[in-house]
Each structure stands twice: as structure tokens, then as C-alpha cells.
Amino acid sequence: MQDYEYFLSSINNIKGIGKKTAQLFTKKKISNLFDLLWHIPVSKIETSKTVNIDDLQIGKTQSVKLCPKKYNFPRIRNLPNRVNCLASEKKIDCIFFNSYEGYIKKILPIDKDVIVYGKIGFYKGKYQITNPKLVSETEDGDLKDLSNYSLTDGLTITKYNNIIESVFKNMPILNEWHRKEILNKFNNVSWNECIKKIHSDDLEKIKNSNYFKRLIFDEIMANFLISSEIRKKIKKVKKKEKNFDIKTKDSYIKKLKFDLTGDQKKAIEEINKDLKSKNRMFRLIQGDVGSGKTIVSMIAALNVIKSGYQVAFMAPTEILAKQHYNFALNFFDKDINVELLTGKTEPAKRKNITENIKNNKIKIIIGTHALFQKKIIYKNLGLIIIDEQHKFGVRQRKELSDKGGANCDVLVMSATPIPRTMIMTIYGDMDVTLIKEKPKNRKEIKTYSKLESKIDEVIKFCKKEISLGNQIFWVCPLIEKSTKLDHQSAVEKSKFLKKYFKDKIGLIHGSLEKEKKNDVLDLFLNKKIDVLVSTTVIEVGIDFPNASVIVIENANKYGLSQLHQLRGRVGRGSTESSCILIFKSNLSENAKKRINILKASNDGFEISEQDMILRGYGDVLGFKQSGIKKFKLADPILHKDLFDMAEKEVRKIELNNEKLGEYYKLLKLYDRASIINDII
Ligand code: ADP
Ligand code: MG
């Protein structure tokens, strides 16, 4: 038996845990000993100091020795169960909300001295203790301090403490998984010592200790190592290296009206290296909105086509696919056959396209999910490009990489910048290229905040912009007026704005049919309308070079990163652009802070970091959907240094091609192994 297996054994194996108790543990999502140990105490109870009834202090949490005398169970809703007791011959009550009578009788038997612990109150002339917890004495009659756990009814603190103690008594000392240098940084504390410490000491007191830090580090390592294993696995697959002349792209770039930025060039170099290598590419390009990722991916496509392979380019929506298709038609020479395949493609055309993908006549196919239907069989797929798929989790990415076959490289693009510490957490299975530099011709987007009552000024400003040939986005949080929420609705707002912009205004929201949505977007793209009122449905990624103003209603409703994303829909051309944030009433201090961050920075990476500091990492941009389990202790903001250290350590292990060795234990314990078995 491996040493770690002890921790994975079921709690049923513990003496004293019967079927019933086990069920109570299941309620707390505790099924094995490791879960049990990770249910960490919320505080420390100094039970050894019982207080005399005359010295009790109202509002304090204290221990009292008392003798239960009489039960009062009123059986009326909202009335608590009450037990009259005596302490040093003086009256004191224990009261219980939401506790079963059986449980109360068990912990407070009549005429038996007990010590209870709880918050002291005073009601109708006597002391009372609300929802008290039972404290027991040790065999030699001494009281011992207990750790306080959040538990369900039926599980007593004493029992939990005893169980934890017995687990500790029997636990094997785990073989160390870290290198000496790493251990030194934590003053050589062992995992066993650490886990004991967090159960015996006041959490607040040890938060900065090596015991606590090491556990956090272990947790991060478990997370990073699994991603690293997946990446290694993907890279291990040998492919035929792609063979192309890196100079071919130059004549194509000359056709563009701009020079590439330094970061774009660097990205192209990194991708070229991957394409030419014998290992499969599995790379993410992370770049802020408007940083010019499309052209980078098209050059990758060009090189792959020149090496004799086909390319599949997938976008999340039809309209974005169409925009990429139009770009590709212009970009590639006529000898490269480009096609568009979406859900809307007519059956005859679809048949023709399917045929030509199969016989290798089509070199690059651009489209939506339709590209990966079973019916579509590629003759010679060499590269899959996926645009704007930040919501793909580890599992989906792995599936995708499997789809293409051994010779197929994968390039994913995302315009959702995340803080550095999170990149490894979320995209650790991929290599990551960052594009931070914005194209030179970009003017800064000016960000303003306005009160709703000053909407006249906003309309005036928009009219002026329109007279200069520019277009306006107008974003509302709701589709239709709501009786519950006092927010602007797109439908109402477009009616209101019609008074000012006449028939030059369009409306788009999630309940419109796809067809209708696309028609309106086309009208806007072709400048047939000046103002587009919408909910947040307009996807990131679509290029509206003439849109110079975005008005965002009820701006306090959105997170910082989302506001930055919305703002990124303007400012893609070379005109000066503005983002106007509208607020209902005067701003709170926190709201002011947020607006100032947006005004001060146009850097999505920085904004997402600030957002995370203000809101906690779980809430930012739906990381919850990313398939990453929430950390128990680690926090990418608070423990940045430990994340950095773990990243370095994992890279080192990768570089030296070390085996997981003792680290395997960590994956097992932290339940990452199930991911390995599933995915790898
Ligand atoms: P994103 O990174 O958000 O996908 P896009 O690739 O759509 O950005 O590029 C946004 C706009 O910037 C497009 O109109 C594109 O043609 C233009 N663009 C890309 N690279 C440059 C550059 N180096 N200089 C000027 N404009 C550029
Ligand atoms: Mg894009």
C-alpha cells in the first residue's frame, strides 16, 4: 500500500463512524480522510477556562459548567427549544434554534454535569447560551482546548475533534515530494506537521506561518503539475514538421496598410518555431481586444498551407466567421482556395464544400462549429485556429487537439486578458504567447462617467460624432423593461432615442432571431445606420472601424473586465474614440475607485488584476466555467509569490524532463488524478 492511500480511504473505516454519522459527513461533502482533514477549523475554543456564572460576560463566547434540569420543547414554529439548567445553583438556560430534540437530549442529559460553550446572552432576568456546544473532559478529568468546526446538526465538535485526533494518531508520515531547496524556503516543515498545525492552532495566528504557506504551495503545485502533465502528453505526439519559407509572408504583409507591431512579430516567430518543430503546437495567443491577433493567425495559416496542409479556422459566431472570411479572401492570393461554412450555408453549397474539403481543393475553411461535424472529413488538416474561445475548459481544449489528428497543430486566441498568476492556473496545458502592444495608430479611448440625468449632453455629443461620419454603440443591461430591476432596457431606449436619431437607429438583442441579428449588424457595418442600441450580445472580435463612441447604461452593473471588453468595441480605427459610462445616481466610493481604474488604464491585463483585487478571483470573467476547481487555501492575488515560485518549479521539472515521482502523491491527494485518468 502506498503511504498516501491512507488518506484516500473512506471515513467509514474510522472507528466510531457508523452509517448515520457517515451520512452527516456526506452532507459536508466529506467522504475520505483527506476531505476530513481539509475541513479546517473556523476558530479555536479555549474550553479549559470555564467561567463562574457570576463572572459571565454578555456577548462573549465562554465555557460554563452546568447541570440540565428541564426540557421545554414548545413545538411552535419560530419558538426555540429551551433547556433550563443550573450553574452553581443559579438559573441559566440553553436555547436551540433548528436543533432536533433527540440531539439536545443527547448532549444535555438531565441531572448530569456538563460543560458547554457558546455565546452568552441575557433574557428575562437570566443568562442564556444560544446553540451551545458540548465540551467534554479528557480521561484524566482535565479539559482540553478544542478546535471549532462548522458542522451539521448531529456532529458535535467534541466528536469531530476526537475523529481528527484519531486520524492523526494513525496517519503515516508521507515521503517528501519537494526538493531540499524548496523545503528550505518553508523552514523544512513537513506536510504532516502542517496539516496538524492548521487543526490545532488558531487560523488567524498561523496565516503567515510556514505551515500555512507550504500547504498553499502544495495546492498550487498540484494544480500546475496536472496542466503540465497534459501539456507534456500533447507535445509527446510526434508530428511531421511543417516545411515553409519564413520569407513567404513578407509579400503578404506588404499588402497590408500597416506595419506589424513588435509583439505581433514575436508571436509569428514563436508560432513558426512550433510549426517547424516535430512536436505538436498547442498554443494560446492572449491579447487585449484590438491588439491584432487575426493577422497573426492568418500568417500561421498561410505558412501551414504553403507546407501543403489544410487549415480550419473556427469563430464563435457567424458574423465573426464572415468577417474573417472576407479578410482571408483579400489576404490570400487567388491560388489559395478559401471557403466559408456556417449553419446558414445552403445545402447544395454545403455539399460542394464538404466534397472539396475531402479532396483537398479547399485550403482554408473558415466557419463556426459546423467545421467539426462528423460529416466533414479533412484530407490533410495541419492547423486548427480557434478564435475567442476563452470559455473552453481544459477538457474541451484537449478534445479539440485530439480531433485534428497527429499532424495537426492547434492555435487558440482569446481577448480576455487575465492576470499573470492566473495564466498558468487556467491555461497551464498550453504554451502562451502574449500580445500586449497595441498597433501604433490606435488613439487612446477616452473614458467618461455621466449621471443619467445628463443624458441630453450625451445625445448632443453623439450627434456631433455622427456629423463627423462616426458611429455609436448604445449598450443597455436589459432587453425589455423589467418590473423587478430598475435598469435601462434596450427596447425602451431605442424607442426613446428614435426621437433624436430618427430611422438611423438599429436594435439588437439576444431574443432576436439569428437572421435578424445579422441583418442589423450588416446595416451597422455598412453604415446604413448610425446608432446601434443593444444588450451585451455584440460579441467581442467583430471589427467596427467606424464606431467611435460606446455609451454604457447602468455601468455599475458590470465588472471592470467586462467594461473594458465593451469599451474595446470602439477605438479599432484611427479616429479618437470615447466610452461614456452612465450612472443612475451619485457614485459610491467603491464605484469611483473602479471608474478611476478604467480611466487610468487601457491595459486589459492590468485591469483584470485590479478587478480581481476588488472582487476576488472566482468572480472575474467566469473563471468558474473554466473547469478549474476552486482552490481551498490559495488565492492568486494574496499568494502571488507562491504562484510564481510554483510556476518556476514546474517549468524546471518540465525542462529537465523529470518524472512525477513523489509528486504523483500530490495529484492523487488533491484529486487531480481523476483529471489525469480522464484526460490523458
Ligand atoms: P483582435 O486582437 O481583437 O482580434 P484584430 O485582429 O481584429 O484584433 O485587429 C483589430 C484591427 O486592427 C483590425 O482592423 C486590424 O486590421 C488592425 N490591425 C491589426 N494589426 C495592426 C497593426 N500592426 N497596425 C495597425 N492596425 C492593425
Ligand atoms: Mg479577434
Side-chain angles (χ1 to χ4, degrees):
M1 188 164 125
Q2 301 282 342
D3 54 5
Y4 63 81
E5 279 172 35
Y6 169 78
F7 295 96
L8 299 181
S9 62
S10 160
I11 49 163
N12 294 317
N13 299 341
I14 300 175
K15 238 171 70 192
I17 296 191
K19 242 193 192 155
K20 236 177 160 179
T21 318
Q23 268 168 7
L24 294 171
F25 276 109
T26 317
K27 258 197 201 161
K28 282 271 162 198
K29 295 204 165 68
I30 294 171
S31 62
N32 64 28
L33 302 195
F34 195 69
D35 299 334
L36 193 78
L37 293 181
W38 270 108
H39 188 60
I40 57 182
V42 285
S43 62
K44 195 80 201 143
I45 308 179
E46 287 189 319
T47 45
S48 47
K49 296 174 191 145
T50 51
V51 179
N52 192 293
I53 186 159
D54 294 319
D55 299 328
L56 287 177
Q57 284 175 286
I58 295 164
K60 271 209 159 176
T61 309
Q62 295 176 313
S63 313
V64 193
K65 188 168 182 177
L66 47 75
C67 183
K69 288 291 172 191
K70 186 166 173 266
Y71 300 127
N72 295 291
F73 299 146
R75 297 197 170 81
I76 297 172
R77 259 183 61 177
N78 298 332
L79 274 189
N81 288 330
R82 186 175 285 271
V83 183
N84 305 125
C85 311
L86 287 177
S88 312
E89 303 303 313
K90 287 180 186 156
K91 283 181 183 171
I92 181 166
D93 282 358
C94 290
I95 60 169
F96 294 84
F97 293 88
N98 314 315
S99 282
Y100 303 115
E101 290 167 16
Y103 166 74
I104 297 172
K105 284 180 175 165
K106 199 170 142 200
I107 68 163
L108 298 179
I110 297 290
D111 281 338
K112 195 162 179 244
D113 280 347
V114 288
I115 292 164
V116 297
Y117 171 89
K119 197 165 174 183
I120 309 297
F122 198 78
Y123 183 72
K124 289 196 176 161
K126 56 181 165 175
Y127 286 111
Q128 64 177 26
I129 310 176
T130 309
N131 294 331
K133 283 161 179 154
L134 182 70
V135 170
S136 67
E137 293 171 53
T138 57
E139 276 155 22
D140 48 20
D142 278 341
L143 281 171
K144 57 178 178 182
D145 288 345
L146 292 178
S147 294
N148 188 14
Y149 297 87
S150 115
L151 299 171
T152 43
D153 220 10
L155 283 174
T156 65
I157 290 201
T158 332
K159 182 152 193 174
Y160 205 90
N161 275 268
N162 288 340
I163 291 172
I164 292 283
E165 200 174 309
S166 101
V167 170
F168 282 152
K169 217 184 262 164
N170 298 318
M171 78 175 167
I173 292 176
L174 293 178
N175 267 342
E176 188 51 67
W177 43 81
H178 291 301
R179 298 186 290 129
K180 266 206 198 101
E181 288 82 354
I182 293 287
L183 280 178
N184 270 335
K185 296 198 174 158
F186 301 106
N187 204 17
N188 298 308
V189 291
S190 69
W191 186 86
N192 290 62
E193 284 175 280
C194 294
I195 196 82
K196 271 187 176 167
K197 199 78 179 170
I198 60 166
H199 280 277
S200 62
D201 277 30
D202 197 332
L203 217 52
E204 273 312 309
K205 283 189 195 138
I206 58 162
K207 278 222 153 119
N208 289 316
S209 70
N210 283 312
Y211 300 104
F212 205 66
K213 282 190 187 156
R214 156 146 198 190
L215 287 178
I216 295 169
F217 185 70
D218 280 335
E219 189 180 20
I220 304 169
M221 281 299 282
N223 190 310
F224 284 9
L225 279 170
I226 180 68
S227 299
S228 155
E229 282 304 295
I230 296 172
R231 180 168 53 207
K232 272 198 259 175
K233 189 87 185 178
I234 289 171
K235 291 202 136 182
K236 240 206 313 233
V237 180
K238 291 284 176 247
K239 67 161 202 234
K240 258 200 220 134
E241 59 265 57
K242 305 220 155 69
N243 197 351
F244 55 91
D245 182 355
I246 55 164
K247 292 221 168 73
T248 308
K249 68 171 189 308
D250 296 346
S251 63
Y252 283 79
I253 292 171
K254 260 194 208 120
K255 285 194 281 186
L256 301 169
K257 290 185 217 95
F258 48 76
D259 293 328
L260 295 181
T261 64
D263 275 359
Q264 283 174 316
K265 286 182 195 158
K266 219 173 74 208
I268 292 169
E269 268 170 40
E270 281 180 354
I271 294 168
N272 282 350
K273 223 166 120 192
D274 286 352
L275 294 176
K276 283 178 179 268
S277 105
K278 280 197 168 68
N279 299 320
R280 285 177 73 184
M281 170 166 79
F282 197 47
R283 186 172 286 279
L284 169 80
I285 305 184
Q286 264 252 301
D288 213 344
V289 266
S291 59
K293 294 182 289 293
T294 316
I295 184 69
V296 171
S297 67
M298 289 293 178
I299 289 169
L302 172 75
N303 287 333
V304 170
I305 294 166
K306 290 288 171 190
S307 323
Y309 291 91
Q310 292 173 296
V311 176
F313 191 130
M314 185 175 101
T317 60
E318 236 165 76
I319 191 118
L320 192 52
K322 209 165 146 199
Q323 198 160 58
H324 286 322
Y325 171 67
N326 288 330
F327 179 93
L329 277 181
N330 275 323
F331 181 71
F332 292 111
D333 287 340
K334 290 289 163 281
D335 62 325
I336 293 174
N337 192 359
V338 186
E339 278 294 351
L340 176 71
L341 179 68
T342 70
K344 246 172 92 181
T345 310
E346 314 226 308
K349 178 87 182 158
R350 174 182 298 268
K351 200 163 161 243
N352 178 268
I353 287 178
T354 312
E355 191 66 23
N356 286 335
I357 288 178
K358 208 169 167 182
N359 65 24
N360 206 6
K361 278 203 183 117
I362 292 174
K363 292 300 170 192
I364 171 165
I365 179 81
I366 298 176
T368 52
H369 280 90
L371 297 185
F372 295 110
Q373 287 165 331
K374 277 212 183 81
K375 277 180 282 179
I376 313 281
I377 296 158
Y378 294 87
K379 170 85 182 171
N380 202 4
L381 192 60
L383 174 66
I384 298 175
I385 300 171
I386 303 186
D387 195 17
E388 299 298 351
Q389 278 303 10
H390 40 272
K391 285 193 176 143
F392 266 26
V394 175
R395 207 173 290 272
Q396 285 146 307
R397 289 199 292 268
K398 176 68 174 56
E399 273 167 19
L400 202 88
S401 87
D402 291 342
K403 237 170 209 156
N407 281 325
C408 188
D409 290 304
V410 178
L411 186 63
V412 179
M413 297 188 279
S414 163
T416 310
I418 51 173
R420 233 196 55 80
T421 43
M422 288 304 276
I423 290 181
M424 183 74 179
T425 309
I426 297 186
Y427 296 115
D429 54 329
M430 314 190 84
D431 291 314
V432 180
T433 296
L434 294 185
I435 300 190
K436 289 201 154 185
E437 197 180 349
K438 300 258 166 76
K440 280 199 193 64
N441 61 354
R442 286 293 138 77
K443 297 254 168 53
E444 195 194 332
I445 305 168
K446 293 238 162 68
T447 301
Y448 307 95
S449 41
K450 276 268 169 222
L451 278 182
E452 210 172 85
S453 53
K454 300 214 171 140
I455 193 145
D456 286 350
E457 291 174 29
V458 179
I459 290 172
K460 212 168 128 195
F461 179 78
C462 290
K463 284 200 148 173
K464 200 184 103 219
E465 285 290 314
I466 292 169
S467 73
L468 295 172
N470 297 325
Q471 291 174 293
I472 319 286
F473 280 114
W474 200 295
V475 180
C476 302
L478 299 177
I479 297 177
E480 284 187 84
K481 211 172 162 63
S482 152
T483 46
K484 290 195 200 105
L485 288 168
D486 190 18
H487 289 147
Q488 297 296 332
S489 85
V491 172
E492 292 287 312
K493 204 76 203 185
S494 74
K495 274 187 205 151
F496 169 80
L497 291 172
K498 256 203 177 89
K499 284 192 270 181
Y500 301 90
F501 302 103
K502 306 287 183 281
D503 58 346
K504 291 287 204 174
I505 182 165
L507 169 67
I508 181 171
H509 53 71
S511 338
L512 284 188
E513 278 170 28
K514 246 191 193 168
E515 207 96 341
K516 187 95 205 325
K517 244 194 271 180
N518 285 345
D519 291 348
V520 179
L521 277 176
D522 272 340
L523 283 177
F524 193 60
L525 274 170
N526 297 321
K527 282 191 84 172
K528 297 279 190 292
I529 52 177
D530 297 324
V531 182
L532 184 61
V533 180
S534 76
T535 51
T536 53
V537 289
I538 2 160
E539 305 80 8
V540 268
I542 308 176
D543 216 8
F544 299 95
N546 284 309
S548 70
V549 180
I550 182 161
V551 180
I552 304 173
E553 300 258 10
N554 304 103
N556 52 319
K557 229 192 111 340
Y558 304 99
L560 278 187
S561 301
Q562 202 180 358
L563 287 174
H564 177 69
Q565 289 269 327
L566 286 168
R567 173 168 77 173
R569 282 169 201 166
V570 299
R572 286 183 161 227
S574 49
T575 45
E576 188 144 316
S577 311
S578 331
C579 167
I580 303 173
L581 306 172
I582 299 200
F583 294 90
K584 213 166 186 65
S585 51
N586 286 327
L587 296 179
S588 69
E589 276 314 305
N590 199 29
K592 270 187 203 154
K593 236 193 239 162
R594 291 169 10 113
I595 300 310
N596 285 335
I597 292 168
L598 272 182
K599 283 183 179 172
S601 173
N602 234 327
D603 175 345
F605 291 92
E606 195 184 312
I607 288 169
S608 73
E609 181 142 358
Q610 296 291 338
D611 199 10
M612 230 162 65
I613 292 171
L614 287 175
R615 292 199 297 157
Y617 77 94
D619 293 330
V620 178
L621 294 169
F623 287 157
K624 283 175 198 142
Q625 294 158 306
S626 64
I628 298 291
K629 272 198 188 172
K630 233 182 142 101
F631 290 111
K632 293 175 205 287
L633 299 179
D635 181 311
I637 292 290
L638 291 178
H639 312 122
K640 209 171 164 185
D641 50 339
L642 295 173
F643 276 79
D644 286 341
M645 195 170 136
E647 180 168 354
K648 276 200 199 108
E649 188 62 10
V650 170
R651 297 274 182 239
K652 192 183 145 296
I653 293 169
E654 263 176 32
L655 206 70
N656 299 343
N657 228 339
E658 287 170 32
K659 289 236 152 53
L660 268 181
E662 296 289 330
Y663 273 123
Y664 186 71
K665 212 169 334 198
L666 211 53
L667 303 190
K668 274 285 193 191
L669 288 176
Y670 285 82
D671 199 19
R672 304 278 161 190
S674 66
I675 308 184
I676 300 197
N677 296 338
D678 266 25
I679 291 188
I680 293 188

